[in-house]
Amino acid sequence: MPLLLWQVPTRPANIAALVDWKTIGALAGLMVLSRGLEVSGVIDRAGRAALRGLRTERGLAVALVLFAAVLSAIVTNDVALFVTVPLTLALSRLVPLPLGRLVILQALAVNAGSAVSPVGNPQNLFLWQVSGAGFGEFVLAMLPLAAAMLAILLALVPLAIGKQTLTLSEPTAPLPLNRRLMAVSLAAYPLFLLLVNAGFAVPAAGAILALYAVAFRAVLRWLDWPLLLVFMLMFVNLGLLGQLPAIAAAMPAALALPGGVFSVGAVLSQAMSNVPAAIFLAPFTEDWRALAWGVSVGGFGLAIGSLANLIALRLVREPGLWRQFHLWSLPMFALSFAVGALLLAS
């Protein structure tokens, strides 16, 4: 940031204005509520129920993909991975499983599933706030792409996972169910989304933080507070970067290339990840839908394309996992890019 401030001299008040505080407020509230649901034990029990009665590895893979995709649309993609991957690791200790491929499929699933929801991932949350679109409008705009990406992933499952028979039992005792925390989190979640949708993200986040500080202080201690700081710095750095004369002059020509903002968003995500790509490109276009589609597709491809990919790969220590990941993620990128371009053109 110091180098950028030297290139683009900016007053302190203007630096603070580069941060999208509505997005920061919405992210903070969602982090608290998602962690509340996770700690309450309700998500763990829902996952176990989804996997109960499965008889083949392929059936397990499909169930994990669907559960991870749906969960990521509700409580964000990283929380979905922190639930499903440890559960898969526990299952692999009971029966032989293609662990690496199952985790890779889950990483791809949360990228596909989270794309449909304004709260599924940070880039959607940001674009939802800056677009001014309603919750339902955003979902309808993202639904064709998200459905197509999930369909592509499900079509790849038979190529990745065989039909070997398995017998699953409860890998470990389920998390204790904190009914009070569960009830408060479930009740507060839709109310918070309604307030964010109405434009009250910051005061709603303040109310959520105050509620949990009084009633469930331990939840706040377990939050990834540095992540909020990272996002604030990201807004500042990318805002200053976009103000550099050379960058500002080059962007209109780049966005005029075939595929426009969709292509640029997808490709740029491969270099800087999809959240920074969305933040960087947003000031240069009003076509938030094409940008959201581009950075959603950009979550596939190289591992850096999405933070979810890096989380999944770090949760499992398996030799050659990064190479395996790209064997599946790069085709997902190519197929999703082609389908997304066709859908946008239709």
Side-chain angles (χ1 to χ4, degrees):
M1 188 167 68
L3 180 60
L4 287 171
L5 286 173
W6 178 65
Q7 294 286 334
V8 187
T10 307
R11 299 168 63 181
N14 293 335
I15 293 176
L18 292 172
V19 179
D20 191 293
W21 295 106
K22 292 186 298 181
T23 299
I24 296 298
L27 181 61
L30 287 170
M31 286 171 59
V32 174
L33 292 168
S34 298
R35 183 53 62 93
L37 289 172
E38 182 184 355
V39 173
S40 75
V42 64
I43 296 178
D44 178 72
R45 292 181 182 234
R48 291 167 186 271
L51 303 182
R52 197 168 291 129
L54 298 173
R55 294 291 177 262
T56 66
E57 289 183 1
R58 186 173 297 170
L60 173 65
V62 170
L64 285 170
V65 164
L66 291 175
F67 181 62
V70 171
L71 190 60
S72 67
I74 301 171
V75 293
T76 73
N77 52 10
D78 57 338
V79 171
L81 286 174
F82 283 125
V83 171
T84 61
V85 173
L87 187 56
T88 308
L89 285 168
L91 291 171
S92 71
R93 300 186 189 104
L94 297 177
V95 292
L97 291 173
L99 179 61
R101 275 170 286 161
L102 286 174
V103 171
I104 289 167
L105 290 172
Q106 288 168 66
L108 301 178
V110 300
N111 283 320
S114 66
V116 76
S117 169
V119 299
N121 52 56
Q123 67 270 18
N124 276 12
L125 184 61
F126 164 67
L127 292 172
W128 177 36
Q129 293 302 297
V130 299
S131 68
F135 191 98
E137 180 185 355
F138 194 99
V139 170
L140 290 175
M142 299 302 296
L143 185 58
L145 177 68
M149 294 192 298
L150 186 57
I152 293 169
L153 179 57
L154 289 171
L156 292 179
V157 169
L159 301 178
I161 308 294
K163 293 183 178 180
Q164 290 83 345
T165 302
L166 53 83
T167 302
L168 291 178
S169 58
E170 290 289 334
T172 56
L175 291 177
L177 188 61
N178 185 330
R179 296 183 183 277
R180 182 164 166 262
L181 177 57
M182 177 189 72
V184 170
S185 299
L186 286 175
Y189 208 95
L191 179 59
F192 178 74
L193 292 182
L194 286 172
L195 289 171
V196 172
N197 191 53
F200 300 105
V202 174
I208 291 294
L209 289 168
L211 171 63
Y212 279 74
V214 172
F216 309 108
R217 192 170 300 172
V219 172
L220 299 184
R221 287 200 298 268
W222 295 330
L223 288 184
D224 187 4
W225 293 110
L227 180 63
L228 285 177
L229 178 60
V230 167
F231 273 96
M232 292 178 195
L233 293 175
M234 200 182 293
F235 278 117
V236 173
N237 286 329
L238 294 171
L240 293 173
L241 183 65
Q243 293 178 26
L244 290 174
I247 298 292
M251 287 310 302
L255 295 178
L257 294 172
V261 66
F262 169 76
S263 298
V264 174
V267 173
L268 192 60
S269 297
Q270 303 302 293
M272 63 165 60
S273 194
N274 53 10
V275 178
I279 294 172
F280 174 72
L281 291 173
F284 296 103
T285 179
E286 295 183 357
D287 192 350
W288 64 266
R289 177 173 175 256
L291 176 55
W293 280 37
V295 296
S296 293
V297 169
F300 303 122
L302 299 179
I304 195 177
S306 169
L307 178 60
N309 300 334
L310 303 179
I311 290 173
L313 293 173
R314 285 182 61 85
L315 287 174
V316 178
R317 302 293 183 178
E318 184 175 292
L321 186 61
W322 285 70
R323 180 182 61 83
Q324 283 189 60
F325 173 82
H326 289 101
L327 289 176
W328 297 102
S329 186
L330 289 171
M332 272 296 301
F333 175 80
L335 292 170
S336 298
F337 184 91
V339 171
L342 288 173
L343 289 172
L344 280 175
S346 62

